[in-house]
Structures are given as C-alpha cells and as structure tokens.
Amino acid sequence: MAWTRDQMAARAAKEVRDGYYVNLGIGIPTLVANHIPEGISAQLQSENGMLGMGPFPFEGDEDPDLINAGKQTITTLPTTSFFDSATSFAIIRGGHIQLSILGALQVSEKGDLANWAVPGKMVKGIGGAMDLVAGVPKVVVLMEHSSRGEAKIVKQCSLPLTGSEVVSLIITDLCVFEVGPDGLLLTELAPDVTIDDIVANTEASFSTHPNFDRHH
C-alpha cells in the first residue's frame, strides 16, 4: 500500500534536525510543516521573505497576507521574522539553509533534478529551486513515484535540468532512495510494496541496502 501524501511528508520531516533552517518547495513538501517531530526546533524559510513558518491555519483563521512560496496561507510562530526577497535569496545563496525539500518532475539515477519546466507548457512563476540546489548542502526530493504511468525516477532526465547531481534523498509514495556516488540505493519500502513493484515503476537502475529486508 502506497504512502499517503501526509505519510510521505511525515517521512520527509524525519530528515529535519534540531536547529536546522529548512526550505520547503511547492506541493507535497509544504505538508512537511505539519509534521516536524516533537522536540525538534527548526525554522522553515520561504523565498518570498519569511523565516519561521508555522503549520497551515485552521479554517476561518487564514490571514491572506501570510503565504508561503506556493501562495498557500500559513501561520506565524513566536520566532517568525520577515524580510524582502533579496535578503531571502541571500540567505539561500550564502549557504545558511541546511536542508531543502523539493518536488520534482524527474530525478535521474545520478541525482540530477528537473523540476521547473515542461517544454511547450507555460511556466507560472519560476521559483528559487536553482538557487536552492546550488546553495543548500542537502536536497531531498518528495514526489509521487510515477505520473500517469510514466516513471519519474529515470536513467537520464529528458526535461530541462534544475541542477546536476544535487539530490541526496528521494522519498516517494512507494519507497525511499539514497543517492550516492554509486547511484541509487533503496533503503525503505512503503507497507506491502515489493522490490518488484519498485523495479516495475522505476526506469533508473538501483541497488538495495545490504541490511534491507526483502520481505518488508
């Protein structure tokens, strides 16, 4: 059984360490804000000029002036600060963000990332993904494993690249891959998902962790 979007976000939230500054991309990554583990103090940063984003608001409590990079309404925390987008990008480019969790259209077996454009389709506002993959030491991709039957984890990206060899970890609704110098390493499976399921839905080559439970 594949993980739900919230279960995927909860798995990604385990990558957040105490004291981290974290940037969340648009889509499923925004759900990570609702799953930061108890006891972990992390500041969530948005390219549009906010550091210290809180969880999504309850219905009726939305403030239209408080939005994340995906233009979803969010909440503040006692630690929240605001600044212009130039300062926000300076934080990213200056290497002050420890972790970025992004969506993707494709990821290659070398960790190449394509997540900003499909040729021939309109681009609705380009975000800061290229800055993030260049300035953040750990990039986690959080996405559906495939789209309309097409594999998204591929041998080589066919879509325009955001960055080359920049992804550290891939979390999908079916499994988790680490990305290292030797390629993709399968480390976790969603409940009742088999390695054969992953092979059938993955174009890229991968190996499995030596301690991996093949009967998971």
Side-chain angles (χ1 to χ4, degrees), residues 3 30 42 78 81 86 91 126 136 142-143 163 168-169 184 193-194 203 210:
W3 283 317
T30 61
S81 55
I91 291 172
I126 298 173
V136 177
L142 182 58
M143 66 176 187
S168 303
L169 191 72
L184 301 181
V193 173
T194 67
E203 181 191 304

Side-chain angles (χ1 to χ4, degrees), residues 25-39:
I26 298 170
I28 302 173
T30 61
L31 299 176
V32 174
N34 294 334
H35 297 280
I36 301 299
E38 192 172 343

Side-chain angles (χ1 to χ4, degrees), residues 55-86:
F56 290 123
F58 293 110
E59 187 174 352
D61 291 339
E62 300 93 342
D63 180 344
D65 288 332
L66 294 178
I67 58 172
N68 61 19
K71 301 180 178 54
Q72 299 165 304
T73 54
I74 51 178
T75 59
T76 59
L77 300 170
T79 55
T80 299
S81 55
F82 299 95
F83 33 80
D84 59 24
S85 58

Side-chain angles (χ1 to χ4, degrees), residues 39 49 72 76 79 84 89 111 123 133 136 140 146 162 178 197 210 215:
Q72 299 165 304
T76 59
T79 55
D84 59 24
F89 276 88
V123 178
V133 300
V136 177
V140 173
S146 56
T162 306
E178 293 179 4
D197 293 330
H215 302 289

Side-chain angles (χ1 to χ4, degrees), residues 1 5-6 18 21 25 44 52 79 94 118 146-147 151 163 167 180 206 209:
M1 183 173 65
R5 290 161 66 94
D6 269 306
D18 196 40
Y21 292 90
L44 304 181
T79 55
V118 176
S146 56
S147 175
V167 176
F206 65 88
H209 193 280

Side-chain angles (χ1 to χ4, degrees), residues 2-13 22-36 44 53 56 68 70 72 100-105 115 140-147 152 170-174:
W3 283 317
T4 65
R5 290 161 66 94
D6 269 306
Q7 288 172 324
M8 294 163 64
R11 172 60 188 85
V22 181
N23 182 286
L24 301 179
I26 298 170
I28 302 173
T30 61
L31 299 176
V32 174
N34 294 334
H35 297 280
I36 301 299
L44 304 181
M53 292 186 294
F56 290 123
N68 61 19
Q72 299 165 304
S100 181
I101 302 174
L102 300 173
L105 298 170
N115 78 343
V140 173
V141 161
L142 182 58
M143 66 176 187
E144 303 287 350
H145 200 93
S146 56
S147 175
K152 297 178 70 173
I170 306 169
I171 300 170
T172 77
D173 50 330
L174 301 183

